[in-house]
Amino acid sequence: MKILNKILTVLMVLLSALCVFILICGNNPAVSERIAEFFDGKDGQTQEIQTVEQQSTAQTDSHETVVPETDAADKAVKAGRETTEENTVQGNGSAKTEQKSVDGRMYPYYGMLDDKEKKLYNQLYEKILAMETTFRPVVTVTSQQLKNAFFAVTNDHPELFWLDASYSYEYMADRTVISVDLIISRAAGDFHKLQQDFEQKADEIARMAGRLESDFEKELFVHDYLVDNIVYDETHYINQNAYSALIDGRTVCAGYARAFQYVMQKLEIPCYYVVGVADEDHAWNIVELDGGFYNVDVTWDDTEYGRYNYFNKTDAEFAKTHTRTGLSVNLPECNADKYADIAVDNMGLAVYDDMQSYYDACYDAIVENGTGTYEFRCILQGESLYETWSRECDEERYKESYMYAAIAAVYGQNCKIRMEVMMLGKERYLIIHKIEMS
């Protein structure tokens, strides 16, 4: 009987201890997590199972650490870590929870988010401005919702140049995010000086453009300024932000597009950052003029083949080379054509619709410029005229039509002419003549 009493006493003690243990675990999930990790053999450390990397020049996911789901009993206590990167298309505490008014016409990505993502968007923006790199989400969100909010903020706000195009976060096995870590770019060394220089340069360009009358003229000025003052450079150490474009003058597509977007925002002209594919991952812009939307690719206009091939184009024209991806597929359609060819009219070039007038213009241009190395441009109107021009170039008829006479007129000895052509749309062709006259 005494042995039975002892056994019952031990069982009662164990049962009491188990009840206390259950109460502790229920009130403190961290304890249960540590215990589960101990029996899993992880000794409190997050288990990183698989790493998936993707690369891009504009904006994609990369460096994703995936923790596969296990049994239902383990699912609630498993934790992981994931890094999402927008690329290459760069303190704990809660943020204010109230919704803020965001101008959807200027910042369209905000309007693409659900209510939770909008609250997180506001929190992210505040944390980035304060340079607080670690915090807990103000609302319960999944990893996908965090991704949407992060990309919405960076796509809407090109002025946040100090933010690296990546972030990391801690999450539970059900993908609920419990902590976010932002990454500050190397561009943020002496932050206040960098920001001052950046704002001054953007204001300077906007001030020059602001003297012009129409929004189109302002857009054209900003486009041309960037083409004239930026060099495409994949080797530049911070080439994914607007700072690299405006201050360093060396960047890639992301820098071109963000710089263009920010100066246009300062001019209060809606301009959006677009992520997509154009042979490879790429970034460009959409601009609103007089209620119509146009595609603009400043990067692709910064080539030796001319600066207006990708200026104010429709989706139909861009579809041949550009495809939107991600949240950018929700941006407005670009079907307007009011300002599609106005850039040509503002190039100060004459338009010819017959060969004789064109040949006369070429003769006059050479006689006016004389000897030396130079170029001149003109525009041919009409598909049939272009076909005639192409055929006569192949047959070298231009030599007898104007070149020999022009050489004699300037007392030259030798002349080399190299001609390049660019399609401008609506049956217009820009002819670039590169002359070497000695």
Side-chain angles (χ1 to χ4, degrees), residues 156-171:
D156 275 344
H157 296 280
E159 74 274 17
L160 304 176
F161 66 84
W162 59 92
L163 180 69
D164 192 82
S166 63
Y167 66 91
S168 64
Y169 63 88
E170 293 178 349
Y171 62 94

Side-chain angles (χ1 to χ4, degrees), residues 193-207 247 266:
K193 178 63 166 59
L194 295 175
Q195 188 179 39
Q196 183 181 42
D197 292 344
F198 175 76
E199 292 295 338
Q200 285 180 348
K201 174 56 71 173
D203 286 338
E204 175 189 334
I205 302 171
R207 187 166 51 252
I247 301 300
K266 282 185 170 290

